[in-house]
Amino acid sequence: MDATLGLRVKQYIREHLADPELSAARTAAAHGISVRHLYVVLSRSGITLGDWIRTRRLAECRREPAGANGRLRTIAATGRRWGFVDATHFSKVFKRAYGISPRAWREQNRRTTSAPCEATQICARDRTPLPERAGGRG
C-alpha cells in the first residue's frame, strides 16, 4: 500500500508544484496521513521531500526560458510561478544547482535558439552536443 501511496503523493506534488504553499503538511492532509508517515513513505523510495520539490521546481525554471514564451516573463516572475517567492533566494539556488545564474542561462539560451543546430552543433533545448551525423546530413 505504501508503494501506491508514494506514487499518489508524487503525482500530487507534480500537480501542485507551482503552488508556493505546497508543504509536507498540505501533502499529508490531502492523503489523510500524518506528516511523519509521509516522510516514512517517501524515504522508502529514497526521496527527501524538500529536495525533491526544489529539484523539480528548478527544472521547470530552467526549462521555461527555453520555450517560445519563456522570454515574456522576468526571471523573478518565472521563479514565483514555480513556487520561489523570494527572487534573490531563487537566483542563488538556481546558480548553486546549475552553475550559472538564471539571467545568464536565459541569455545563453537566447543566443543559441537563434542559430540552427546544424550550424552550432549544439542543441538549443538543453545545450548538449548533437550526435555525429552520418554523411554530414541531418
Side-chain angles (χ1 to χ4, degrees):
M1 180 166 149
D2 277 356
T4 59
L5 177 59
L7 292 173
R8 289 192 320 256
V9 165
K10 287 187 266 187
Q11 183 60 36
Y12 174 86
I13 292 168
R14 279 192 284 276
E15 290 171 1
H16 294 87
L17 201 56
D19 181 358
E21 300 298 319
L22 179 63
S23 67
R26 271 205 176 167
T27 304
H31 292 86
I33 60 174
S34 69
V35 172
R36 182 172 185 215
H37 188 65
L38 172 68
Y39 283 121
V40 168
V41 168
L42 293 176
S43 71
R44 288 183 184 147
S45 299
I47 294 172
T48 303
L49 183 63
D51 289 344
W52 200 77
I53 290 171
R54 185 174 32 262
T55 299
R56 271 138 194 89
R57 284 178 170 173
L58 283 169
E60 291 300 325
C61 290
R62 184 174 185 250
R63 180 193 58 76
E64 195 168 291
N69 297 323
R71 293 176 193 89
L72 300 177
R73 202 177 266 122
T74 66
I75 297 296
T78 298
R80 276 192 308 275
R81 173 171 156 64
W82 291 104
F84 292 98
V85 294
D86 180 87
T88 302
H89 173 71
F90 164 62
S91 289
K92 286 179 184 177
V93 171
F94 188 99
K95 186 169 185 175
R96 191 176 321 126
Y98 298 115
I100 189 171
S101 72
R103 185 168 317 285
W105 163 254
R106 182 174 65 184
E107 291 305 314
Q108 185 179 57
N109 195 278
R110 179 178 293 170
R111 282 193 294 275
T112 57
T113 56
S114 63
C117 283
E118 292 78 25
T120 62
Q121 293 300 302
I122 294 182
C123 183
R125 278 189 308 253
D126 60 2
R127 305 279 303 142
T128 58
L130 291 172
E132 292 296 317
R133 298 187 193 282
R137 301 188 74 129

